[in-house]
Structures are given as C-alpha cells and as structure tokens.
C-alpha cells in the first residue's frame, strides 16, 4: 500500500493542510521517464496549489452528484482510476479529508476517521493556541499534528 | 451473488447524454431528464479532471518524453510517429463507490462513456458493462438510421438490453 498525498479542506472550501509522500517501490520502474525528473521530486509530481483546487472541485462535484442520485444520507466514499485511488471522508462539521493512494488499497474510510479523531481533534481542536478558523492553514501545521500524521501514515505503508 | 443493476447512462464524447435508462426502482432517486443531462455534463468534466490528477506521471514530463522519443526515432531513421516507449494512456475515473451504490465507468476508444450503476456488492460488473458495449456496437452502431452523437432510440437495443439486465437482476 502506498499513500501519495493527503489533504484537509475546511468548511469554507479552503485547503488548510496538504502533504505528499514519496513512493519508494515504484521509483525504479518509473525512472526511465527521461532526464526531466529531478532528484528531489522523485517520480511524484510536485503538488501545486492548483492540485488542491482540482481535487476539491472533483470531490465537491462528485459529492453533489452522489447526493442527488443516492439520497441526502448517501456519502461518497472513494473513486478509482487506473493510476490512483481517492478516498474521501466528511465530518459533520463539513471538514473534508481526502487521501490519494495506489489502486490496490481497500477502503480507507476508517483510517481517515482515525486521523480525524486521534490527530485532528486531539492536536488541533484541543489546542488552546489554535484559532477556530484555520485561515491559510493557521494552527494546523503544529509539530504534534505533523509528526503524528507522518508516523501514522508511515505505519500504514 | 446478487448484483442488482440500477441504471445505465451513456455519454457521448462531447459530454452529452445520449441514453439513460433505469432498470430497478428504488435503487436510485428519481431525477428529471434535465437533471440527468446536467449530471452527464458534470461527470464528463470531473472525468477529465481525474485523469489529470494522477500523482505519479507529471503531464509536462509526458509531453517532453514523447517528443524526445519521437525525435530519437526520427534521428535513427525510424518511421515518423513510431514511439519506442509509449506512456500509459491517461485514465479518468473508473469506479465510484458510495454508501448506497457503486458506479462503474468504461470509456471506449472513441470517447463514449458507459456508466453502470449497481448496488455495492461488486461482482463481474466489468463483464456486464463489456456486454452492454457489445450490444451498443451491434444494435446501435449497426443501425443505419442512427446518427452519431445523437440520442439512442433503437428498439432492438432497448429490448436486448432489458432482457440481459433482467437476467442479471434475477440471478
């Protein structure tokens, strides 16, 4: 199992946290891509701010589509393409957690739920110094949250 | 193995809805034809974005490698247009899972999208959608009165499709 990236969007549709992990296993097979790949970027595309916007747009459209077809209580869980799989989890407070993994991964809904309970609530919500609204990611990028998330994801891989 | 097929949607290469049929009542919400048209257009756009979001192969990289391999092939005296290494074709959304249903999408080489809505217990949906595509090529494309990219109104296709889906749903 490989996790490519992880995003958090707040209820104002702003991306307040984004993190990418470099895959180790697939680097050998993709290295013949040409001389343009840099050593720092590896084979993973350097995630831009546009990526987060595209991901949010996709997730938002699909969520609305699913609600229209499956009823208001239906929730969009994941989608898969030939190259990656996107997992989605939305909390009651409209906080949206998105994770991109390889295609073989099973449902990560519980993992995203765990991240919400054990990391987000513990280290961001219960942090007295953290603001209520995380404009521009304020209060999210604290050491405990970053470290906990990185350890948790690396434990999965 | 109880797969229930709820509905089938066919979207043409421009994102227009050309076929839409519900097979099982109660599986999906009833929405108007206008909403189906909006849904088809939305899905077409989302499909294009999901193909771009691939975290492994950068799109800029791909164009540079294809041009460099083309140049190398031309330099070595190879026929123009032959690529030594062909990059993976971009692939958009294939399977969408929700709590209540599962949607499988197949894009043909000609850009037509077949969307099959089933219940969440997945089994051989690939096969079923392949069969639907076969039927489409047999009874729609071979119909001399069918105009390309236009809504599908073929009795034969309707009948064959209905009997095939009934067979699946009653299994």
């Amino acid at each position: 199992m490989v996790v490519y990236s992880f995003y958090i969007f707040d209820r104002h549709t702003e991306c307040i946290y984004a993190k990418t992990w470099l895959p180790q296993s697939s680097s050998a097979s993709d290295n013949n891509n040409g001389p343009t790949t840099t050593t720092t970027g590896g084979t993973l595309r350097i995630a831009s701010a546009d990526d987060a916007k595209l991901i949010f747009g996709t997730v938002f459209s699909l969520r609305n589509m699913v609600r229209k077809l499956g009823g208001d209580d239906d929730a969009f869980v994941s989608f898969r393409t030939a190259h990656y799989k996107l997992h989605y989890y939305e909390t009651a407070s409209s906080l949206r957690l998105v994770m991109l993994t390889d295609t073989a991964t099973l449902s990560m809904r519980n993992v995203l739920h765990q991240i919400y309970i054990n990391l987000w609530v513990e280290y961001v919500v219960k942090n007295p110094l953290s603001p209520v609204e995380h404009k521009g990611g304020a209060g999210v990028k604290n050491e405990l949250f970053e470290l906990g998330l990185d350890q948790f994801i690396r434990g999965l891989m | 193995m109880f797969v229930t097929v709820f509905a089938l949607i066919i979207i043409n290469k421009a994102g227009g809805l050309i076929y839409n049929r519900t097979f099982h009542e109660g599986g999906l919400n009833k929405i108007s034809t206008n909403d189906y048209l909006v849904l088809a257009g939305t899905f077409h756009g989302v499909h294009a974005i999901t193909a771009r979001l691939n975290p492994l192969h950068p799109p800029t990289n791909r164009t540079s490698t294809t041009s460099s391999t083309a140049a190398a092939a031309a330099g070595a005296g190879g026929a123009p247009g032959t690529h030594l290494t062909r990059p993976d074709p971009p692939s958009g959304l294939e399977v969408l899972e929700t709590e209540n249903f599962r949607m499988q999408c197949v894009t043909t080489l000609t850009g037509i999208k077949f969307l099959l809505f089933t219940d969440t217990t997945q089994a051989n949906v690939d096969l079923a959608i392949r069969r639907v595509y076969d039927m489409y090529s047999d009874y729609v494309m071979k119909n001399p009165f069918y105009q390309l990219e236009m809504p599908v109104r073929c009795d034969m296709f309707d009948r064959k499709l209905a009997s095939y889906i009934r067979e699946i749903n009653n299994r």
Side-chain angles (χ1 to χ4, degrees):
Chain A
M1 194 195 101
V2 187
V3 176
Y4 297 137
S5 50
F6 175 70
Y7 298 86
I8 302 175
F9 300 93
D10 70 357
R11 63 200 173 92
H12 306 295
T13 74
E14 192 189 348
C15 178
I16 52 172
Y17 187 78
K19 192 169 170 64
T20 55
W21 284 268
L22 291 170
Q24 293 100 7
S25 57
S26 59
S27 58
S29 61
D30 293 324
N31 259 351
N32 52 3
N33 257 4
T36 45
T37 48
T38 56
T39 45
T40 48
T43 56
L44 196 77
R45 191 154 52 110
I46 297 157
S48 58
D50 285 350
D51 256 12
K53 286 176 192 162
L54 283 178
I55 286 175
F56 186 80
T58 310
V59 156
F60 189 77
S61 305
L62 285 175
R63 186 189 78 121
N64 286 352
M65 206 179 103
V66 164
R67 282 208 177 171
K68 200 176 263 182
L69 281 171
D72 278 337
D73 58 330
D74 198 1
F76 150 54
V77 176
S78 70
F79 75 77
R80 180 176 68 73
T81 77
H83 303 293
Y84 67 94
K85 188 169 179 178
L86 183 144
H87 307 266
Y88 177 71
Y89 177 72
E90 183 175 342
T91 68
S93 52
S94 294
L95 191 80
R96 291 145 175 137
L97 294 96
V98 177
M99 188 181 269
L100 268 71
T101 67
D102 64 339
T103 52
T105 312
L106 294 174
S107 176
M108 296 278 275
R109 201 180 165 77
N110 52 342
V111 170
L112 291 174
H113 185 63
Q114 288 296 320
I115 290 176
Y116 175 66
I117 293 176
N118 295 332
L119 299 170
W120 178 267
V121 173
E122 287 299 319
Y123 299 140
V124 179
V125 176
K126 290 187 184 172
N127 181 1
L129 298 174
S130 166
V132 180
E133 301 290 346
H134 307 279
K135 199 140 188 63
V140 187
K141 290 186 179 69
N142 67 63
E143 208 174 310
L144 279 172
F145 181 73
E146 295 247 25
L147 204 72
L149 183 68
D150 197 54
Q151 271 177 355
F152 186 62
I153 299 296
R154 285 189 194 283
L156 293 170
M157 293 207 261
Chain B
M1 188 173 78
F2 292 105
V3 183
T4 312
V5 178
F6 294 145
L8 170 74
I9 288 180
I10 304 178
I11 302 172
N12 70 11
K13 63 181 166 207
L17 181 78
I18 55 170
Y19 192 78
N20 136 46
R21 187 154 176 196
T22 313
F23 302 103
H24 186 267
E25 298 299 322
L28 297 175
N29 275 1
K30 268 207 176 73
I31 59 175
S32 64
T33 315
N34 204 24
D35 282 346
Y36 268 115
L37 282 164
V38 172
L39 193 140
T42 311
F43 182 78
H44 186 75
V46 168
H47 191 273
I49 295 174
T50 54
R52 272 203 42 152
L53 280 176
N54 180 10
L56 282 177
H57 294 274
T60 50
N61 242 2
R62 183 163 38 214
T63 52
S64 71
T65 33
T66 46
S67 61
S68 67
T69 46
T82 53
H83 298 290
L84 299 174
T85 51
R86 192 187 290 268
D88 287 344
S91 140
L93 197 153
E94 286 181 354
V95 181
L96 171 78
E97 282 170 43
T98 81
E99 282 177 1
N100 293 357
F101 67 89
R102 182 174 185 276
M103 187 194 79
Q104 181 110 14
C105 171
V106 161
T107 313
T108 68
L109 288 174
T110 46
I112 296 166
K113 292 185 194 68
F114 288 81
L115 271 59
L116 204 64
F117 295 83
T118 60
D119 63 357
T120 47
T121 56
Q122 35 171 313
N124 283 334
V125 185
D126 274 326
L127 201 90
I129 208 160
R130 199 76 219 163
R131 187 84 182 80
V132 171
Y133 181 38
D134 285 353
M135 272 186 248
Y136 173 80
S137 19
D138 276 345
Y139 303 113
V140 179
M141 297 316 282
K142 290 179 187 173
N143 183 339
F145 300 107
Y146 175 67
Q147 282 178 301
L148 279 177
E149 307 287 309
M150 282 302 173
V152 176
R153 288 185 221 287
C154 303
D155 257 356
M156 196 71 169
F157 179 63
D158 280 348
R159 264 183 283 131
K160 295 280 178 185
L161 187 71
S163 70
Y164 177 62
I165 300 293
R166 203 180 308 122
E167 190 186 305
I168 293 179
N169 284 354
N170 291 338
R171 196 149 48 187

